[in-house]
Amino acid sequence: MRSGKEILGIVENNKPIIWGLFLSTILFKYAIGNIFLGLLLALFVFQWVQNRKVFFNKSLVPMIVFFLFGALSLFWTTNVSVTAKGIYSTLPLAIIPVLLSQYSRFNTSDLRKTIRVFSLCLLLYFLACFINATILFFKDHSFSHFFYHGLVSLFENNAIYISLAVAVCILIGINLPNNTVKDYVVIALLGVFLFFLSSKNIIVSTFFLSLITLFNHKENRKKVLVISTVLLVALLVLIVFDNPVKQRFIRELSVNADFVWIGQDFYNYKFSGFEVRLFQWRIMGEMIQNHQIGIFGLGLYNIDYLLNQYFSYYNLYKGYFYINFHNQYLQTLGELGFIGLGLLFWLFFKAFRFKNAYQLVVIMLFMIAFFTESFLSRQKGVFLFATMYSLVFSFLNTGEEDQKSAINKK
């Protein structure tokens, strides 16, 4: 029979696998992630009993504060039941930082193992999706099964959320030192997956963030040259040859900005992805002008009803109803007001203060992605953001690794 301390040692040594698998639960339906989170909570209680104290990484305070402010909105929301549901849905923003704080700080080796586990799970999912798409293709001969939401219909996933997970693995993988040939193969395969997922914003942001971070690696010019060449060739293929991804980009080039910004009746108007987001910026401006959004907002998760009222007023096609802002900044502004939006920016700007490569690349990716999706309105987005934020802010710099053992706490 192993002692409690021995079990803690096993858990500590396998923390990269534990958290890599937890990240991978976003690939499945919600129950899997909730069950795994429940197991982590049970493990937390065991760690608490054995250590006789609860550790907390102070660099994760901003996320806790952001969550607590959202919870406080229960006192001024216009719909208590909706906000209570929002508090429950965003609870991982507070739970995950506490759970991860019970482990020693992640060093480069730990981060590499975590991302490897997550990357391999993503690639296995890609293989399963591709097989599923092939089977569906032989039934109706539609190539749509291989791209965007059609590709990840297995487990009913959203292509944008999976794209963000893939992009995180690519960018951290590129930044990790001493990569092997196998690591580069995994990064390349993830790049292929990202292409098939067809998320315009994530593809573009991943491409440019990859180039920016690569050119900062002046000590490894061969690495920069090889990966940059591959990225440029991939971009040329995307531009030159006809493909569904290219078509999605072309459709966005036709923008009727004037009508979207001043039009009054949109019943027969078919919005492009960019246009509907531009229209939502307009709506938020009108909400502020009409004094419907102020310092505190309308309460966590309690803005969509007002958005739908504006959709109805402007006579939009009913298919646009029951969607959120598809912009985390506007979503947060509507729900938690200017204070909540400020707290969200505080989360991001701490990465620029610490200037850690992994923090910067992950936070910059999320900052860009938040312009086109309300990631914190879905469990998968909350799990991915809370875990990756906590991981990169629980990372030990190389200099610190030499001074602290793997079991030291903050």
Side-chain angles (χ1 to χ4, degrees):
M1 188 74 176
R2 295 182 183 275
S3 67
K5 293 296 183 181
E6 287 177 323
I7 295 174
L8 283 182
I10 294 173
V11 170
E12 173 65 28
N13 291 333
N14 289 281
K15 66 184 179 185
I17 297 175
I18 293 171
W19 287 97
L21 290 175
F22 176 68
L23 281 166
S24 302
T25 63
I26 70 167
L27 299 172
F28 305 98
K29 294 186 177 181
Y30 299 121
I32 302 298
N34 289 332
I35 291 171
F36 204 120
L37 185 60
L39 293 174
L40 289 175
L41 280 167
L43 184 56
F44 163 73
V45 173
F46 179 77
Q47 292 168 317
W48 184 3
V49 172
Q50 290 297 317
N51 292 322
R52 298 182 180 178
K53 66 181 298 186
V54 175
F55 300 98
F56 186 71
N57 185 343
K58 293 180 180 179
S59 64
L60 303 180
V61 166
M63 185 175 290
I64 302 291
V65 173
F66 180 72
F67 166 77
L68 290 176
F69 185 74
L72 283 175
S73 69
L74 192 66
F75 292 101
W76 63 79
T77 181
T78 59
N79 192 321
V80 173
S81 62
V82 169
T83 296
K85 179 182 177 182
I87 294 171
Y88 173 77
S89 298
T90 57
L91 193 57
L93 293 176
I95 293 177
I96 291 175
V98 174
L99 297 182
L100 208 143
S101 293
Q102 307 317 303
Y103 303 82
S104 65
R105 300 279 286 273
F106 277 60
N107 57 30
T108 303
S109 177
D110 295 327
L111 186 61
R112 184 189 301 278
K113 290 176 183 177
T114 302
I115 295 302
R116 276 179 176 172
V117 171
F118 193 21
S119 297
L120 290 175
C121 289
L122 285 168
L123 291 178
L124 287 173
Y125 179 62
F126 181 27
L127 177 61
C129 288
F130 200 85
I131 293 172
N132 181 62
T134 302
I135 295 171
L136 295 174
F137 173 78
F138 283 120
K139 291 181 179 180
D140 58 14
H141 302 289
S142 173
F143 284 100
S144 63
H145 299 302
F146 291 96
F147 297 92
Y148 204 40
H149 296 312
L151 177 63
V152 292
S153 60
L154 190 64
F155 305 138
E156 301 176 3
N157 276 310
N158 182 302
I160 300 175
Y161 288 75
I162 303 302
S163 294
L164 186 59
V166 172
V168 165
C169 290
I170 290 173
L171 292 172
I172 291 183
I174 289 175
N175 275 277
L176 285 167
N178 306 317
N179 281 329
T180 65
V181 174
K182 291 181 181 179
D183 292 322
Y184 288 125
V185 170
V186 169
I187 291 171
L189 290 174
L190 288 172
V192 174
F193 191 14
L194 187 64
F195 170 81
F196 279 96
L197 287 166
S198 311
S199 173
K200 304 180 295 293
N201 181 30
I202 304 298
I203 289 175
V204 172
S205 57
T206 303
F207 176 80
F208 284 106
L209 286 174
S210 297
L211 289 180
I212 291 171
T213 54
L214 281 172
F215 281 111
N216 285 331
H217 291 176
K218 297 178 181 179
E219 73 284 353
N220 196 339
R221 296 186 182 277
K222 183 182 290 187
K223 175 181 179 180
V224 173
L225 180 61
V226 171
I227 299 181
S228 298
T229 302
V230 171
L231 289 172
L232 289 172
V233 169
L235 180 62
L236 288 174
V237 170
L238 184 65
I239 294 173
V240 174
F241 297 99
D242 190 37
N243 57 79
V245 181
K246 178 181 178 179
Q247 293 304 318
R248 294 197 73 236
F249 277 97
I250 291 175
R251 283 196 294 270
E252 295 298 331
L253 297 178
S254 179
V255 178
N256 190 349
D258 289 339
F259 181 67
V260 170
W261 200 253
I262 65 174
Q264 296 298 310
D265 192 320
F266 294 87
Y267 180 72
N268 293 316
Y269 191 77
K270 294 183 179 180
F271 289 88
S272 67
F274 175 78
E275 285 177 331
V276 72
R277 287 171 172 82
L278 179 63
F279 183 69
Q280 289 173 323
W281 277 91
R282 169 189 173 180
I283 288 177
M284 175 54 72
E286 293 180 3
M287 288 179 179
I288 295 173
Q289 289 179 351
N290 294 332
H291 306 290
Q292 294 168 303
I293 304 297
I295 296 177
F296 295 103
L298 296 177
L300 191 63
Y301 274 41
N302 189 38
I303 185 63
D304 294 349
Y305 82 93
L306 185 58
L307 179 63
N308 285 326
Q309 287 180 11
Y310 274 83
F311 282 173
S312 179
Y313 176 78
Y314 285 111
N315 202 22
L316 267 71
Y317 167 62
K318 295 299 181 183
Y320 288 109
F321 283 52
Y322 311 112
I323 65 173
N324 56 37
F325 269 103
H326 280 64
N327 181 307
Q328 189 58 56
Y329 303 109
L330 297 183
Q331 195 78 27
T332 300
L333 179 58
E335 293 176 359
L336 303 178
F338 290 99
I339 294 179
L341 184 61
L343 291 174
L344 182 62
F345 284 130
W346 182 35
L347 279 170
F348 291 146
F349 289 139
K350 280 184 68 66
F352 295 92
R353 174 187 170 190
F354 286 99
K355 298 181 180 179
N356 175 281
Y358 306 111
Q359 293 170 4
L360 282 173
V361 73
V362 169
I363 293 306
M364 289 177 70
L365 178 64
F366 275 106
M367 287 182 70
I368 297 170
F370 276 16
F371 275 106
T372 56
E373 196 71 25
S374 300
F375 282 97
L376 302 185
S377 295
R378 299 288 183 270
Q379 177 182 294
K380 293 178 186 291
V382 171
F383 274 26
L384 181 63
F385 178 67
T387 306
M388 288 311 309
Y389 186 95
S390 300
L391 277 175
V392 295
F393 277 95
S394 298
F395 178 77
L396 270 174
N397 291 319
T398 303
E400 292 177 295
E401 292 175 28
D402 295 334
Q403 299 173 22
K404 298 182 179 181
S405 66
I407 62 172
N408 282 343
K409 297 293 180 179
K410 285 60 65 185

